[in-house]
Structure formats: structure tokens, C-alpha cells
């Protein structure tokens, strides 16, 4: 259950944050929509930390951090696509 929440929580959280930024900024400061990509530093740091630590099943821990990073990126991608769809409609 925790693995399920790690993936979907990261995806939903980034999606909501991207949609919120996209709705608040509209057209006047669009580069701000890339701000949630900064959250990718968290799984990157976690993966590097686990890799440096080594230990038992470190590959699984790195894969978990990669999964969380992928969920953050997918959430941002979906949010950006939804924000762009709203801009094109008159």
C-alpha cells in the first residue's frame, strides 16, 4: 500500500501543483510552470544517497527513487498538457 501511495501521491501532488501554477500565472509569466520540475532533485538526491551507501538491495532502493522521479515528471507533463489545452480555447 505504501508503494502505491508513493507513486500516485507524487504524481497527483505534482499534477495539482502544476495546474495551480498554470491557472494562477496564465499568460503573464509562463516559465514559472517549470518550477515543479525542481522537485526532481529530491528523488535524484535519494537515489545517489542509496547508491553511495551500497548495502543490501541498494538497487531496489535506487529503482524506488527512480519510480518516484518518474511519477513527478509524469504529473508535471500531464499538468502542463492540461494547462496548454485551456490556453488554446477562446
Amino acid at each position: 500500500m505504501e508503494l502505491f501511495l508513493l507513486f500516485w501521491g507524487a504524481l497527483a501532488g505534482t499534477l495539482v501543483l502544476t495546474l495551480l501554477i498554470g491557472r494562477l500565472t496564465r499568460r503573464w509569466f509562463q516559465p514559472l510552470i517549470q518550477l515543479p520540475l525542481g522537485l526532481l532533485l529530491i528523488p535524484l538526491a535519494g537515489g545517489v544517497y542509496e547508491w553511495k551507501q551500497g548495502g543490501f538491495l541498494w538497487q531496489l532502493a535506487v529503482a524506488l527513487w527512480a519510480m518516484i522521479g518518474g511519477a513527478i515528471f509524469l504529473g508535471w507533463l500531464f499538468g502542463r498538457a492540461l494547462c496548454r489545452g485551456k490556453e488554446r480555447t477562446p
Side-chain angles (χ1 to χ4, degrees), residues 60-74:
L60 189 61
V62 170
L64 177 68
W65 283 110
M67 180 190 76
I68 294 169
I72 290 172
F73 184 71
L74 281 176

Side-chain angles (χ1 to χ4, degrees), residues 1 8 11 18 24 41 48-49 54-55 59-60 69-70 74:
M1 184 67 173
W8 290 107
L11 189 130
T18 304
L24 291 177
L41 292 175
V48 169
Y49 175 75
Q59 295 95 344
L60 189 61
L74 281 176

Side-chain angles (χ1 to χ4, degrees), residues 2-90:
E2 288 85 14
L3 291 176
F4 182 77
L5 289 176
L6 280 174
F7 179 78
W8 290 107
L11 189 130
T14 309
L15 175 66
V16 167
L17 183 63
T18 304
L19 286 174
L20 183 65
I21 290 172
R23 180 164 300 272
L24 291 177
T25 59
R26 298 247 182 210
R27 293 184 183 147
W28 58 273
F29 198 64
Q30 274 304 102
L32 195 62
I33 203 164
Q34 295 175 355
L35 185 67
L37 284 179
L39 293 173
L40 287 173
L41 292 175
I42 297 168
L44 177 67
V48 169
Y49 175 75
E50 293 293 337
W51 173 59
K52 291 284 188 180
Q53 285 287 75
F56 186 67
L57 295 176
W58 66 270
Q59 295 95 344
L60 189 61
V62 170
L64 177 68
W65 283 110
M67 180 190 76
I68 294 169
I72 290 172
F73 184 71
L74 281 176
W76 176 80
L77 207 61
F78 291 151
R80 183 162 182 212
L82 289 173
C83 285
R84 283 193 178 257
K86 290 178 183 176
E87 286 179 3
R88 291 183 185 156
T89 57

